[in-house]
Structure formats: structure tokens, C-alpha cells
Amino acid sequence: MIVNDLSSVKEISTCTLNDVLRGEDIDGVVVTELMSDVLTIDYDNILFITSLCSFQAITTADIIGAVGVIITSGKEISDEIRAMAVERKLALFTTDLRNFEISALLCRRFPELAREWV
Amino acid sequence: MSDTKFNPTESLVVRELITRLRVSNVMSTQIHSVFPTESLRNIQHLMKEKQVSGVPVIDEAWHLLGIITVDDIIAALDKNYIEEPARDHMTTDVISLNDNYPLAVAISHFEKYSFRRYPVINDKNKLVGLITGRDILSSLLFEINNEVDKLEELLPERRVTSTEFFYKKFHIEKRDMKTAGKASSEVKKFCKRSNFSRKFTRRVGVAAFELEINIVVHSHGGSITIMRENDFIKIIAKDKGPGIGDLNKAMEEGYSTANEWVRSYGFGAGMGLPNIRRVSDSFHITSSEKGTNVTVTFNID
């Protein structure tokens, strides 16, 4: 599965996604509201799913080398957070679904990803 | 820094972008519009709720009829006609943009007129969006970053000499969540530039970030110093107190003294110090009422 596949999911809206990130593999997914949990991840090319729409969520994703972030629960993305994601070279998506709902949907849609859930 | 005012059309990259991009690529399609019969009072509430300073007035077929701005609302409140309908007070000779215009035309409108937003209409004269200066800047920033990323992919990897020196001290204020992450972001950039492995970069970044957050949420403020010496990177975090009551407990995973404010940011799970120790090659901590000092090192692989 690659980052661009998320753009084809109608329940997911793309906020920022540059051409280089489009082709990046997603090798694992972490779903949590706890930043310290995310900081224990030692995989590359992680997709981070959280309902926390904050600078710290973007920074945390950047620190672990994530390729993208999905902000859930219909949170509104400010221009500052969008700009931060662009600057940190992170793909940023939103969805109205909650963490569990979007996780279940992605597992059904992309079964190969289901093995790599954290 | 140059005193010359930046002229976007002088830059080849920007000139190409503002010619290639259309208004439709940049505009916001989330439009808060009203019918002519809507009262100015309701429009005032709409502006406050949606945090907008201008509301287009349309007919049922979405043709643009006029616009009500914050200035119109202020005048209505001042002269006591706030309950009257929009149609009696809207500006009707609205300067709009076609969605197919190049962005360069939109920019020239912003330079020529003093308005902060323009309604966007299509070839059928129907309202399809709104464009502001912020929309233009955000889109240009995104596209320029896109171009830079593409160029970076084409460039050969740059290798830094093994003696490249790095030394930086970051002052961290108590409860300043907005700037927390600055030190870790800078050291991450240095590690990437130095072509260190992703795993090594991640370890250093995680430790720096957790140390920054600890100072922000648990102390009266402090500093983080990051330095590269020969074949290791060292991070020294010092704060001004109040110190850690029980160091042994603080090193246990899951032990936390964090309050609700900290947890609202997603921290306070009691993993900070254990995470730092886990990712570092050496870890040393001392703490008293005067402050906590943490020194960690990472052997460059």
C-alpha cells in the first residue's frame, strides 16, 4: 500500500500530499492519542492516525519519520498545522470517522495493512 | 536582509506557478452564503460562528447578487438597521474572479484593489468559491515545496564530512507547548543532512523531543544543549526545578504525575524518561529541588 491509495478512500480528505510522498510505501500504522506511545515506534514509513489535531501530533509524526497523518473525528485543520505538515514533508489527511472506524475501514480496504497495525 | 520588497513576478519559479495555477486550484469551495432576505443580524452571527469577514449574497440558482462585509455590519449596528434584510444594504457591484483565470490575475486584483477576498464565479456566472490572500500564499507555499521535493529527488545524496560540527543550545519556557519540538526538529535535520541512518536519526529525535516536553510540562523552564563530537551526539537537558520526587518511580513505565493540561496534549503517560533511556546509548540523570539534569549520548553508527 502506498500513501496515494489513501486519496482514493472517499471517507478520507487530503489536506496536503506532495508528489514525492504519493509513492511512499506505508509499512505500518499506529493509532493512538498518546504521543509517548508513538515515540516508542521503531518502524519506518508509518501512518499515524489520531484525533489530536495539534502541533505536537505533527511534530511527533515527524520525529518518528512517519509518512502521513490522518486526523480523525472531523477535526478542522488550521492553516498553521497544514503549513507545518508541508514544511515537515508529511502527508496530511482528515476524516469524519473516529479512530476505530477509520482503522476498521482501512483494514477491510487494504488487508495487507492489517498485519502491521500497532 | 535585502531592503528590496519581494516581487513575486521576478522569481521564475513563482512566475511559472502563478501562470500555471488557476483560481479554481486555489480557492476555498467552502462558501458561507446567504439569500437576499437574510437579516444582517443573522449574517453577523454567521460571520462570528464561521470566522469570516465577508458573506456573498446569492439567489436560488447560485448567481452572485452582492456581498455583505464586516464594515456593513458595523454600519448597521451603528445606525440601528441590523434587523433589515441583506438585499437593502449589500454591495452589488462586486468585483469577482472567474474560476478559470490564472492566479496571476487574482494577484493583480489584490494589488489593484483593497479587498481581502473575492468571490469566484464560473462561466455560468454561478458562485463556486471564495479566494483570499491567505489561500494564495498557502497554495504557493505548497507548490513551491512540491517543486523543491522533486528537485531534491533528482540531486545526488549529499554526504557531509565526518568532522562536521554541531552545537546548539535551546532555551525552553515552562508550559510553552507551541515551541516544544524545535530542538528535536533541528537535530533531526542535522542528522538527515549528515546522512545518518533513519534509525539513528529517530533515536536522537525521540530523546530530544521527550526531553523538551519534560522541561515544558514538569519544570520551571530550562535548556537543551545538543552537540556532535567526533563519533557521538550528546544531549544535555537542564531545568530549574522543582525536581523529581522519586527518581526510581519516575523511571518506571506508566508512572506519571502529569495533570489534565499535559494529558490534553497527548503526553503524561509516564513513558518519557523510560523512552529516553531506551533509545540512548548512555543515560545519566540527577535531580534535586534546584533542578533535573539529564545527559544522554548516541554513538554514531
Side-chain angles (χ1 to χ4, degrees):
Chain A
M1 180 190 179
I2 60 174
V3 173
N4 197 46
D5 290 336
L6 293 171
S7 303
S8 65
V9 178
K10 74 170 166 56
E11 291 84 355
I12 293 176
S13 301
T14 304
C15 288
T16 77
L17 176 57
N18 69 33
D19 291 341
V20 172
L21 280 170
R22 275 181 205 282
E24 285 281 347
D25 289 324
I26 294 176
D27 293 331
V29 184
V30 59
V31 189
T32 184
E33 315 292 77
L34 294 175
M35 300 301 116
S36 286
D37 275 358
V38 182
L39 293 170
T40 65
I41 298 299
D42 198 18
Y43 300 95
D44 291 332
N45 288 44
I46 288 289
L47 174 67
F48 178 25
I49 298 177
T50 183
S51 71
L52 271 181
C53 182
S54 64
F55 294 114
Q56 290 71 36
I58 304 298
T59 301
T60 302
D62 178 41
I63 292 294
I64 64 159
V67 289
V69 182
I70 301 180
I71 305 291
T72 65
S73 307
K75 297 285 176 71
E76 202 162 315
I77 309 291
S78 68
D79 290 342
E80 288 81 8
I81 287 190
R82 194 187 304 258
M84 192 182 196
V86 169
E87 190 224 331
R88 304 284 175 103
K89 297 183 171 47
L90 284 165
L92 183 61
F93 304 89
T94 59
T95 178
D96 288 339
L97 301 180
R98 295 175 194 275
N99 285 1
F100 283 118
E101 289 167 333
I102 190 64
S103 301
L105 187 148
L106 289 177
C107 279
R108 284 196 302 271
R109 203 73 62 87
F110 306 102
E112 70 276 21
L113 207 56
R115 294 193 300 271
E116 311 298 340
W117 229 258
V118 178
Chain B
M1 188 166 286
S2 168
D3 290 333
T4 309
K5 191 177 170 185
F6 172 68
N7 183 345
T9 58
E10 284 178 358
S11 159
L12 274 176
V13 170
V14 175
R15 205 187 311 163
E16 189 273 332
L17 280 174
I18 64 176
T19 307
R20 170 166 57 86
L21 290 171
R22 304 281 127 176
V23 169
S24 57
N25 298 132
V26 169
M27 68 186 186
S28 168
T29 52
Q30 193 179 32
I31 309 167
H32 305 293
S33 57
V34 295
F35 294 126
T37 49
E38 195 70 66
S39 72
L40 294 174
R41 169 82 69 193
N42 286 348
I43 296 174
Q44 177 204 356
H45 292 320
L46 179 68
M47 283 179 175
K48 188 177 174 186
E49 184 196 332
K50 302 296 178 187
Q51 304 218 336
V52 295
S53 58
V55 175
V57 183
I58 57 170
D59 64 17
E60 279 163 9
W62 276 80
H63 295 115
L64 180 66
L65 301 175
I67 196 162
I68 294 285
T69 68
V70 164
D71 292 338
D72 295 324
I73 299 296
I74 292 171
L77 287 165
D78 189 38
K79 292 174 187 163
N80 207 23
Y81 55 78
I82 193 71
E83 306 299 341
E84 292 181 9
R87 65 166 171 249
D88 293 344
H89 300 283
M90 64 187 182
T91 302
T92 50
D93 56 341
V94 180
I95 298 172
S96 61
L97 290 161
N98 184 282
D99 63 347
N100 204 32
Y101 282 170
L103 196 57
V105 171
I107 291 171
S108 70
H109 270 57
F110 279 96
E111 287 176 344
K112 188 174 173 183
Y113 306 106
S114 58
F115 304 121
R116 286 176 288 178
R117 81 207 64 71
Y118 294 88
V120 181
I121 56 174
N122 62 13
D123 290 335
K124 294 178 184 150
N125 274 330
K126 295 196 177 191
L127 182 69
V128 293
L130 277 171
I131 187 169
T132 65
R134 181 177 268 193
D135 293 329
I136 293 174
L137 284 172
S138 298
S139 295
L140 283 178
L141 172 66
F142 176 80
E143 292 292 336
I144 287 170
N145 266 292
N146 225 357
E147 296 296 318
V148 169
D149 286 341
K150 283 181 195 169
L151 282 171
E152 278 181 347
E153 284 289 301
L154 295 172
L155 287 170
E157 275 186 16
R158 183 173 154 250
R159 291 201 166 264
V160 173
T161 63
S162 61
T163 55
E164 178 166 335
F165 181 70
F166 182 92
Y167 182 96
K168 206 152 185 182
K169 187 170 184 175
F170 302 85
H171 293 282
I172 299 169
E173 298 291 325
K174 169 185 171 176
R175 290 179 75 98
D176 184 6
M177 270 296 189
K178 200 159 182 195
T179 55
K182 195 174 173 194
S184 41
S185 296
E186 286 225 26
V187 75
K188 188 194 165 191
K189 283 179 194 165
F190 169 73
C191 288
K192 279 189 85 171
R193 230 172 38 236
S194 303
N195 217 25
F196 296 147
S197 71
R198 287 175 84 166
K199 198 174 174 99
F200 179 84
T201 301
R202 185 160 47 237
R203 288 198 293 133
V204 176
V206 164
F209 191 39
E210 290 275 26
L211 286 167
E212 283 185 273
I213 293 293
N214 273 353
I215 294 177
V216 167
V217 308
H218 291 302
S219 80
H220 302 311
S223 67
I224 284 190
T225 306
I226 304 179
M227 64 197 85
R228 186 257 173 97
E229 292 184 20
N230 294 324
D231 52 2
F232 64 87
I233 287 180
K234 183 186 283 187
I235 305 178
I236 302 170
K238 293 184 179 180
D239 68 47
K240 303 172 205 169
I244 299 172
D246 187 333
L247 250 184
N248 288 329
K249 270 210 158 352
M251 296 306 304
E252 287 176 14
E253 289 189 6
Y255 176 79
S256 173
T257 56
N259 56 28
E260 274 311 303
W261 174 77
V262 178
R263 293 182 203 281
S264 71
Y265 283 95
F267 296 99
M271 292 298 296
L273 288 174
N275 264 351
I276 298 164
R277 183 171 58 183
R278 179 181 57 82
V279 298
S280 56
D281 293 312
S282 76
F283 172 91
H284 185 249
I285 184 169
T286 59
S287 189
S288 71
E289 284 173 1
K290 290 184 183 161
T292 299
N293 293 350
V294 180
T295 302
V296 291
T297 59
F298 304 84
N299 301 324
I300 296 169
D301 47 28

